[in-house]
Coordinates of all heavy atoms in Angstrom, one line a residue:
M209 N 4.6 27.5 32.1 CA 4.4 28.4 31.0 C 4.0 27.6 29.8 O 4.7 26.6 29.5 CB 5.6 29.3 30.7 CG 5.5 30.1 29.5 SD 6.9 31.2 29.2 CE 6.2 32.7 29.9
F210 N 2.9 27.9 29.1 CA 2.5 27.2 27.9 C 3.1 28.0 26.7 O 2.8 29.1 26.5 CB 1.0 27.0 27.8 CG 0.5 26.2 28.8 CD1 -0.1 26.7 30.0 CD2 0.5 24.8 28.7 CE1 -0.6 25.9 31.0 CE2 0.0 23.9 29.7 CZ -0.6 24.5 30.8
V211 N 3.9 27.3 25.9 CA 4.6 27.9 24.7 C 4.2 27.2 23.5 O 4.4 26.0 23.4 CB 6.1 28.0 24.9 CG1 6.8 28.7 23.7 CG2 6.5 28.6 26.2
A212 N 3.7 27.9 22.5 CA 3.5 27.4 21.1 C 4.7 27.8 20.3 O 5.1 28.9 20.4 CB 2.2 28.0 20.6
V213 N 5.1 26.9 19.4 CA 6.3 27.1 18.6 C 5.8 26.9 17.1 O 5.2 25.9 16.8 CB 7.5 26.2 18.9 CG1 8.6 26.5 18.0 CG2 7.9 26.5 20.4
E214 N 6.1 27.8 16.3 CA 5.7 27.7 14.8 C 6.3 26.4 14.2 O 7.4 26.0 14.6 CB 6.3 28.9 14.1 CG 5.9 28.9 12.6 CD 6.3 30.2 12.0 OE1 7.5 30.6 12.1 OE2 5.5 30.8 11.3
N215 N 5.5 25.8 13.4 CA 6.0 24.6 12.7 C 7.3 24.8 12.0 O 7.5 25.9 11.4 CB 5.0 24.1 11.6 CG 3.7 23.6 12.3 OD1 3.8 23.1 13.4 ND2 2.6 23.6 11.6
G216 N 8.2 23.9 12.1 CA 9.5 24.0 11.4 C 10.6 24.4 12.4 O 11.8 24.5 12.0
L217 N 10.3 24.9 13.6 CA 11.3 25.4 14.5 C 11.5 24.3 15.5 O 11.5 24.5 16.8 CB 10.8 26.6 15.2 CG 10.6 27.9 14.2 CD1 10.1 29.1 15.1 CD2 11.9 28.2 13.5
D218 N 11.8 23.1 15.0 CA 12.0 21.9 15.9 C 13.2 22.0 16.9 O 13.1 21.5 18.0 CB 12.1 20.7 15.0 CG 10.8 20.3 14.3 OD1 9.7 20.7 14.8 OD2 11.0 19.7 13.2
N219 N 14.2 22.6 16.4 CA 15.4 22.8 17.3 C 15.0 23.7 18.5 O 15.3 23.3 19.7 CB 16.5 23.5 16.5 CG 17.7 23.7 17.3 OD1 18.2 22.9 18.1 ND2 18.4 24.9 17.2
I220 N 14.2 24.7 18.4 CA 13.8 25.6 19.5 C 12.8 24.8 20.3 O 12.9 24.8 21.6 CB 13.2 26.9 18.9 CG1 14.3 27.7 18.3 CG2 12.5 27.6 20.1 CD1 13.7 28.9 17.5
K221 N 11.9 24.1 19.7 CA 10.9 23.3 20.4 C 11.6 22.3 21.3 O 11.2 22.2 22.5 CB 10.0 22.6 19.4 CG 8.9 21.7 20.1 CD 8.1 21.1 19.0 CE 7.1 20.1 19.6 NZ 6.3 19.4 18.6
N222 N 12.5 21.6 20.8 CA 13.2 20.5 21.6 C 14.0 21.1 22.7 O 14.1 20.6 23.8 CB 14.0 19.7 20.6 CG 13.2 18.8 19.7 OD1 12.1 18.5 20.0 ND2 13.8 18.5 18.6
Y223 N 14.6 22.3 22.4 CA 15.4 22.9 23.5 C 14.5 23.3 24.6 O 14.8 23.1 25.8 CB 16.1 24.1 22.9 CG 16.9 24.9 23.9 CD1 18.2 24.5 24.4 CD2 16.4 26.0 24.5 CE1 18.9 25.1 25.3 CE2 17.0 26.7 25.5 CZ 18.3 26.3 25.9 OH 19.0 27.0 26.8
L224 N 13.3 23.9 24.3 CA 12.5 24.4 25.4 C 11.9 23.3 26.1 O 11.8 23.3 27.4 CB 11.3 25.3 24.7 CG 11.8 26.6 24.1 CD1 10.6 27.3 23.4 CD2 12.4 27.5 25.2
L225 N 11.6 22.2 25.4 CA 11.1 21.0 26.2 C 12.2 20.5 27.2 O 11.9 20.1 28.3 CB 10.8 19.9 25.2 CG 9.5 20.0 24.5 CD1 9.4 19.0 23.3 CD2 8.2 19.9 25.4
S226 N 13.5 20.5 26.7 CA 14.6 20.0 27.6 C 14.7 20.9 28.8 O 15.3 20.5 29.8 CB 15.9 19.9 26.8 OG 16.4 21.2 26.5
K227 N 14.3 22.2 28.7 CA 14.4 23.1 29.8 C 13.2 23.2 30.7 O 13.1 24.0 31.5 CB 14.7 24.5 29.3 CG 16.1 24.6 28.6 CD 17.2 24.3 29.6 CE 18.6 24.5 29.0 NZ 19.6 24.3 30.0
G228 N 12.2 22.3 30.4 CA 11.0 22.2 31.2 C 9.9 23.0 30.8 O 8.9 23.1 31.6
F229 N 9.9 23.7 29.7 CA 8.8 24.4 29.2 C 7.7 23.5 28.7 O 8.1 22.5 28.1 CB 9.1 25.5 28.1 CG 9.9 26.7 28.6 CD1 11.3 26.6 28.6 CD2 9.3 27.8 29.0 CE1 12.1 27.6 29.1 CE2 10.0 28.9 29.5 CZ 11.4 28.8 29.6
C230 N 6.5 23.8 28.8 CA 5.3 23.1 28.3 C 5.1 23.6 26.9 O 4.4 24.6 26.7 CB 4.1 23.2 29.2 SG 2.8 22.2 28.6
V231 N 5.5 22.9 25.9 CA 5.4 23.2 24.5 C 4.1 22.6 24.0 O 4.0 21.3 24.0 CB 6.6 22.9 23.6 CG1 6.4 23.3 22.2 CG2 7.9 23.5 24.2
V232 N 3.2 23.4 23.5 CA 1.8 22.9 23.0 C 1.6 23.3 21.6 O 2.3 24.1 21.0 CB 0.7 23.6 23.9 CG1 0.8 23.1 25.4 CG2 0.7 25.0 23.9
D233 N 0.5 22.7 21.0 CA 0.1 23.0 19.7 C -0.4 24.5 19.6 O -0.9 25.0 20.6 CB -1.0 22.1 19.3 CG -1.4 22.2 17.9 OD1 -0.7 21.7 17.0 OD2 -2.4 22.9 17.7
M234 N -0.2 25.1 18.5 CA -0.6 26.5 18.3 C -2.2 26.6 18.4 O -2.6 27.7 18.8 CB -0.3 27.0 16.8 CG 1.2 27.2 16.7 SD 1.9 27.8 15.2 CE 0.6 28.2 14.2
N235 N -3.0 25.6 18.4 CA -4.3 25.6 18.5 C -4.8 25.4 20.0 O -6.0 25.3 20.3 CB -5.1 24.7 17.6 CG -4.9 25.1 16.1 OD1 -4.9 26.3 15.8 ND2 -4.6 24.1 15.3
F236 N -3.8 25.2 20.9 CA -4.1 25.0 22.3 C -4.9 26.1 22.8 O -4.7 27.3 22.4 CB -2.8 24.8 23.1 CG -2.9 24.2 24.4 CD1 -3.3 22.9 24.6 CD2 -2.7 25.0 25.5 CE1 -3.4 22.4 25.9 CE2 -2.8 24.5 26.8 CZ -3.2 23.2 27.0
S237 N -5.9 25.9 23.7 CA -6.8 26.9 24.1 C -6.1 28.0 25.1 O -6.7 29.0 25.2 CB -7.9 26.2 24.9 OG -7.5 25.6 26.1
F238 N -5.0 27.7 25.6 CA -4.3 28.7 26.4 C -2.8 28.7 26.2 O -2.2 27.6 26.4 CB -4.6 28.4 27.9 CG -4.1 29.4 28.8 CD1 -4.7 30.6 29.1 CD2 -2.8 29.2 29.4 CE1 -4.1 31.6 30.0 CE2 -2.2 30.1 30.3 CZ -2.9 31.3 30.5
I239 N -2.3 29.7 25.7 CA -0.8 29.8 25.6 C -0.3 31.2 26.2 O -1.0 32.1 26.2 CB -0.3 29.7 24.1 CG1 -0.9 30.8 23.2 CG2 -0.6 28.3 23.6 CD1 -0.3 30.8 21.9
D240 N 0.9 31.1 26.7 CA 1.5 32.3 27.3 C 2.4 33.0 26.3 O 2.6 34.2 26.3 CB 2.3 31.9 28.5 CG 1.4 31.3 29.6 OD1 0.5 32.0 30.1 OD2 1.6 30.1 29.9
A241 N 3.0 32.2 25.4 CA 3.9 32.8 24.5 C 3.9 32.0 23.1 O 3.5 30.8 23.1 CB 5.3 32.7 25.0
F242 N 4.2 32.7 22.1 CA 4.3 32.1 20.8 C 5.6 32.4 20.1 O 6.0 33.6 20.0 CB 3.2 32.6 19.8 CG 3.2 32.1 18.5 CD1 3.1 30.7 18.2 CD2 3.3 32.9 17.4 CE1 3.2 30.2 16.9 CE2 3.3 32.4 16.1 CZ 3.3 31.1 15.9
I243 N 6.4 31.4 19.7 CA 7.7 31.6 19.0 C 7.5 31.4 17.5 O 6.9 30.4 17.1 CB 8.7 30.6 19.5 CG1 8.7 30.5 21.1 CG2 10.1 30.9 19.0 CD1 9.1 31.7 21.7
Y244 N 7.9 32.4 16.7 CA 7.8 32.4 15.3 C 9.1 32.8 14.7 O 10.0 33.4 15.3 CB 6.6 33.2 14.9 CG 6.7 34.7 15.0 CD1 7.1 35.5 14.0 CD2 6.5 35.2 16.3 CE1 7.3 36.9 14.3 CE2 6.6 36.6 16.6 CZ 7.0 37.4 15.5 OH 7.2 38.8 15.7
L245 N 9.1 32.7 13.3 CA 10.4 33.2 12.6 C 10.0 34.0 11.4 O 9.3 33.6 10.5 CB 11.2 32.0 12.2 CG 12.5 32.2 11.4 CD1 13.5 33.0 12.4 CD2 13.1 31.0 11.0
R246 N 10.4 35.2 11.4 CA 10.2 36.2 10.3 C 11.5 37.1 10.2 O 12.0 37.6 11.2 CB 9.0 37.1 10.5 CG 7.7 36.4 10.6 CD 7.3 35.9 9.2 NE 6.0 35.2 9.3 CZ 5.9 34.0 9.7 NH1 6.9 33.2 10.0 NH2 4.7 33.4 9.7
K247 N 12.0 37.1 9.0 CA 13.1 38.0 8.7 C 12.8 39.5 8.7 O 13.5 40.3 9.1 CB 13.8 37.7 7.5 CG 14.5 36.3 7.5 CD 15.3 36.1 6.3 CE 16.0 34.7 6.3 NZ 16.7 34.3 5.2
E248 N 11.5 39.8 8.3 CA 11.1 41.1 8.4 C 10.4 41.4 9.7 O 10.0 40.5 10.4 CB 10.0 41.5 7.2 CG 8.8 40.6 7.2 CD 8.9 39.2 6.7 OE1 10.0 38.8 6.1 OE2 7.9 38.5 6.8
N249 N 10.1 42.7 10.0 CA 9.5 43.1 11.2 C 8.0 43.0 11.2 O 7.3 44.0 11.7 CB 10.0 44.4 11.7 CG 11.4 44.5 12.0 OD1 11.9 43.5 12.7 ND2 12.2 45.5 11.7
L250 N 7.4 42.0 10.8 CA 6.0 41.9 10.6 C 5.5 40.6 11.3 O 6.1 39.6 11.2 CB 5.5 41.9 9.2 CG 5.8 43.2 8.4 CD1 5.3 43.0 6.9 CD2 5.1 44.3 9.0
S251 N 4.4 40.7 12.0 CA 3.8 39.5 12.6 C 2.4 39.5 12.0 O 1.6 40.5 12.2 CB 3.8 39.5 14.0 OG 3.0 38.5 14.5
L252 N 2.0 38.5 11.3 CA 0.7 38.4 10.7 C -0.2 37.5 11.5 O -1.3 37.0 10.9 CB 0.8 37.9 9.3 CG 1.7 38.9 8.4 CD1 1.8 38.3 6.9 CD2 1.2 40.3 8.4
Y253 N 0.0 37.1 12.7 CA -0.7 36.2 13.4 C -1.9 36.9 14.1 O -1.7 37.9 14.8 CB 0.1 35.4 14.4 CG 1.0 34.4 13.7 CD1 2.3 34.7 13.5 CD2 0.5 33.2 13.3 CE1 3.2 33.9 12.8 CE2 1.3 32.3 12.7 CZ 2.7 32.6 12.4 OH 3.5 31.8 11.7
N254 N -3.1 36.3 14.1 CA -4.2 36.8 14.8 C -4.5 35.9 15.9 O -4.9 34.8 15.8 CB -5.4 36.8 13.7 CG -6.6 37.3 14.4 OD1 -6.7 37.6 15.6 ND2 -7.7 37.5 13.6
S255 N -4.5 36.5 17.1 CA -4.7 35.6 18.3 C -6.2 35.9 18.8 O -6.4 35.5 19.9 CB -3.7 36.1 19.4 OG -3.9 37.4 19.8
S256 N -7.0 36.3 18.0 CA -8.4 36.6 18.5 C -9.2 35.3 18.9 O -10.1 35.3 19.6 CB -9.2 37.3 17.4 OG -9.3 36.6 16.2
S257 N -8.8 34.2 18.3 CA -9.4 32.9 18.7 C -8.9 32.4 20.0 O -9.5 31.4 20.5 CB -9.2 31.9 17.6 OG -7.8 31.6 17.4
N258 N -7.8 33.0 20.6 CA -7.2 32.5 21.8 C -7.9 33.3 22.9 O -8.2 34.5 22.8 CB -5.7 32.8 21.8 CG -5.0 32.0 22.8 OD1 -5.3 32.3 24.0 ND2 -4.3 31.0 22.4
T259 N -8.1 32.6 24.1 CA -8.8 33.2 25.1 C -7.8 34.1 26.1 O -8.3 34.7 27.0 CB -9.5 32.2 26.1 OG1 -8.5 31.3 26.5 CG2 -10.5 31.5 25.3
N260 N -6.6 34.1 25.8 CA -5.7 35.0 26.5 C -5.9 36.4 26.3 O -6.3 36.8 25.3 CB -4.2 34.7 26.0 CG -3.7 33.4 26.6 OD1 -4.2 32.8 27.5 ND2 -2.6 33.0 26.0
K261 N -5.6 37.2 27.3 CA -5.6 38.6 27.2 C -4.4 39.1 26.6 O -4.4 40.2 25.9 CB -5.9 39.3 28.5 CG -7.3 39.0 29.0 CD -7.6 39.7 30.3 CE -9.0 39.2 30.6 NZ -9.7 39.7 31.6
S262 N -3.3 38.4 26.8 CA -2.0 38.9 26.1 C -1.1 37.6 26.0 O -1.1 36.7 26.7 CB -1.3 39.8 27.0 OG -0.9 39.3 28.2
I263 N -0.5 37.6 24.8 CA 0.5 36.5 24.5 C 1.8 37.2 24.1 O 1.9 38.1 23.4 CB 0.0 35.7 23.2 CG1 -1.4 35.1 23.6 CG2 1.0 34.7 22.8 CD1 -2.1 34.4 22.4
L264 N 2.9 36.7 24.8 CA 4.2 37.1 24.4 C 4.6 36.5 23.1 O 4.7 35.3 22.9 CB 5.2 36.6 25.5 CG 6.7 37.0 25.3 CD1 6.8 38.6 25.4 CD2 7.5 36.4 26.4
M265 N 4.7 37.4 22.1 CA 5.1 37.1 20.8 C 6.6 37.2 20.5 O 7.1 38.3 20.7 CB 4.4 37.9 19.7 CG 2.9 37.8 19.8 SD 2.2 36.3 19.2 CE 2.3 36.5 17.5
V266 N 7.4 36.2 20.2 CA 8.9 36.2 20.1 C 9.3 35.8 18.8 O 9.0 34.7 18.4 CB 9.5 35.3 21.2 CG1 11.0 35.4 21.1 CG2 9.0 35.7 22.6
N267 N 9.9 36.7 18.1 CA 10.5 36.4 16.8 C 11.8 35.8 17.0 O 12.7 36.4 17.6 CB 10.6 37.7 15.9 CG 11.0 37.4 14.5 OD1 11.4 36.3 14.1 ND2 11.0 38.4 13.6
A268 N 12.0 34.6 16.5 CA 13.3 33.8 16.8 C 14.4 34.2 15.8 O 15.5 33.8 16.0 CB 13.0 32.3 16.6
Y269 N 14.1 35.1 14.9 CA 15.2 35.6 13.9 C 16.4 36.1 14.7 O 16.2 37.0 15.5 CB 14.6 36.5 12.9 CG 15.5 36.9 11.8 CD1 15.9 36.0 10.9 CD2 16.1 38.2 11.8 CE1 16.8 36.4 9.9 CE2 17.0 38.6 10.8 CZ 17.4 37.7 9.9 OH 18.3 38.0 8.9
N270 N 17.5 35.6 14.3 CA 18.8 36.1 14.9 C 18.9 35.9 16.4 O 19.6 36.7 17.1 CB 19.1 37.6 14.6 CG 19.7 37.7 13.2 OD1 20.3 36.8 12.7 ND2 19.6 38.9 12.6
K271 N 18.1 35.0 17.0 CA 18.2 34.7 18.4 C 18.6 33.3 18.6 O 18.2 32.3 17.9 CB 16.8 34.9 19.0 CG 16.5 36.4 19.1 CD 15.1 36.6 19.7 CE 14.7 38.0 19.6 NZ 14.6 38.5 18.2
T272 N 19.4 33.1 19.7 CA 19.8 31.7 20.1 C 18.8 31.1 20.9 O 17.8 31.8 21.4 CB 21.1 31.7 20.8 OG1 20.9 32.4 22.1 CG2 22.3 32.4 20.1
N273 N 18.8 29.8 21.1 CA 17.9 29.2 22.0 C 18.0 29.7 23.4 O 17.0 29.9 24.1 CB 18.2 27.6 22.1 CG 17.9 26.9 20.8 OD1 17.1 27.4 19.9 ND2 18.5 25.7 20.6
Q274 N 19.2 30.1 23.8 CA 19.3 30.7 25.2 C 18.7 32.1 25.2 O 18.1 32.4 26.3 CB 20.8 30.7 25.5 CG 21.5 29.4 25.7 CD 21.9 28.7 24.4 OE1 21.8 29.2 23.3 NE2 22.1 27.5 24.5
D275 N 18.8 32.9 24.1 CA 18.1 34.1 24.1 C 16.6 34.0 24.3 O 16.0 34.7 25.1 CB 18.4 34.9 22.7 CG 19.8 35.3 22.5 OD1 20.5 35.5 23.5 OD2 20.2 35.5 21.3
I276 N 16.0 33.0 23.6 CA 14.6 32.8 23.7 C 14.2 32.3 25.1 O 13.2 32.8 25.6 CB 14.2 31.8 22.6 CG1 14.3 32.4 21.2 CG2 12.7 31.4 22.8 CD1 14.2 31.5 20.0
E277 N 15.1 31.5 25.6 CA 14.8 31.1 27.0 C 14.8 32.2 28.0 O 13.9 32.4 28.8 CB 15.8 30.0 27.4 CG 15.6 29.5 28.8 CD 16.7 28.6 29.3 OE1 17.7 28.4 28.6 OE2 16.5 28.0 30.4
R278 N 15.7 33.1 27.8 CA 15.8 34.3 28.7 C 14.6 35.2 28.5 O 14.0 35.7 29.5 CB 17.1 35.1 28.4 CG 18.3 34.6 29.1 CD 19.4 35.7 29.0 NE 19.9 35.8 27.7 CZ 20.9 35.0 27.1 NH1 21.3 34.0 27.8 NH2 21.3 35.2 25.9
I279 N 14.2 35.4 27.3 CA 12.9 36.2 27.0 C 11.7 35.6 27.7 O 10.9 36.3 28.3 CB 12.7 36.3 25.5 CG1 13.8 37.2 24.9 CG2 11.3 36.9 25.2 CD1 13.9 37.2 23.3
L280 N 11.6 34.2 27.5 CA 10.4 33.6 28.1 C 10.5 33.6 29.6 O 9.5 33.9 30.3 CB 10.4 32.1 27.7 CG 10.1 31.9 26.2 CD1 10.2 30.5 25.8 CD2 8.7 32.4 25.8
T281 N 11.6 33.5 30.2 CA 11.8 33.4 31.7 C 11.5 34.9 32.3 O 10.8 35.0 33.3 CB 13.2 33.0 32.1 OG1 13.4 31.7 31.5 CG2 13.4 32.9 33.6
S282 N 12.0 35.9 31.6 CA 11.8 37.2 32.1 C 10.4 37.8 31.6 O 10.0 38.8 32.2 CB 13.0 38.2 31.6 OG 12.8 38.3 30.2
K283 N 9.9 37.2 30.6 CA 8.6 37.7 30.0 C 8.7 39.1 29.5 O 7.8 39.8 29.4 CB 7.4 37.6 31.0 CG 7.2 36.2 31.5 CD 6.0 36.1 32.4 CE 5.8 34.6 32.9 NZ 4.9 34.5 34.0
L284 N 9.9 39.4 29.0 CA 10.2 40.7 28.4 C 10.8 40.5 27.0 O 11.7 39.6 26.9 CB 11.1 41.5 29.2 CG 10.6 41.9 30.7 CD1 11.7 42.6 31.4 CD2 9.4 42.8 30.5
Y285 N 10.3 41.3 26.0 CA 10.9 41.2 24.7 C 10.9 42.6 24.1 O 9.8 43.2 24.0 CB 10.1 40.2 23.9 CG 10.5 40.1 22.4 CD1 11.8 40.0 22.1 CD2 9.6 40.1 21.4 CE1 12.3 39.8 20.8 CE2 10.0 40.0 20.1 CZ 11.3 39.8 19.8 OH 11.7 39.7 18.5
S286 N 12.0 43.2 23.8 CA 12.1 44.4 23.1 C 13.4 44.5 22.3 O 14.3 43.8 22.6 CB 12.0 45.6 24.1 OG 13.2 45.5 25.0
P287 N 13.5 45.3 21.3 CA 12.5 46.2 20.8 C 11.6 45.5 19.8 O 12.1 44.4 19.3 CB 13.3 47.3 20.2 CG 14.6 46.7 19.7 CD 14.9 45.6 20.8
L288 N 10.5 46.1 19.4 CA 9.8 45.5 18.4 C 10.3 45.7 17.0 O 10.2 44.8 16.1 CB 8.3 46.1 18.3 CG 7.4 45.7 19.5 CD1 6.1 46.4 19.5 CD2 7.2 44.2 19.5
F289 N 11.1 46.8 16.8 CA 11.6 47.1 15.5 C 13.0 47.4 15.6 O 13.6 47.8 16.5 CB 10.9 48.3 14.8 CG 9.4 48.0 14.6 CD1 8.5 48.5 15.5 CD2 9.0 47.2 13.6 CE1 7.1 48.3 15.4 CE2 7.7 46.9 13.4 CZ 6.7 47.4 14.3

């Protein structure tokens, strides 16, 4: 699984690397998931430049590293709001 992590979330990035995830740059041509941090329920990221048909968007707010790992492993994330 190719995972992009927003700049500044080094703790999450390092944890995912230690668990065997392939953490790539946000401009990588193919990503399966994107980890970002927002306190509000808005995502302003545009994935139109990415060739994926779908990207799992995971807001890291109020989530542990283990929570994020479970979301990535199950490829499920809810609720949006």
Side-chain angles (χ1 to χ4, degrees):
M209 172 177 268
F210 294 99
V211 181
V213 179
E214 183 176 49
N215 291 336
L217 299 178
D218 296 329
N219 181 41
I220 294 170
K221 177 181 177 180
N222 293 332
Y223 177 81
L224 293 176
L225 285 169
S226 76
K227 293 297 182 176
F229 287 90
C230 185
V231 179
V232 298
D233 185 81
M234 289 180 8
N235 295 321
F236 193 70
S237 63
F238 181 85
I239 61 172
D240 299 298
F242 178 59
I243 313 301
Y244 66 99
L245 180 63
R246 296 289 178 278
K247 290 184 181 180
E248 64 278 354
N249 290 322
L250 297 175
S251 174
L252 303 176
Y253 288 97
N254 180 357
S255 62
S256 62
S257 63
N258 196 293
T259 59
N260 283 346
K261 293 187 181 183
S262 64
I263 298 172
L264 180 61
M265 303 286 286
V266 180
N267 187 349
Y269 183 69
N270 278 340
K271 290 179 185 61
T272 66
N273 290 341
Q274 293 79 14
D275 291 338
I276 293 169
E277 179 184 11
R278 274 191 296 275
I279 291 166
L280 294 174
T281 302
S282 67
K283 298 181 183 173
L284 296 173
Y285 177 47
S286 64
L288 289 176
F289 302 99

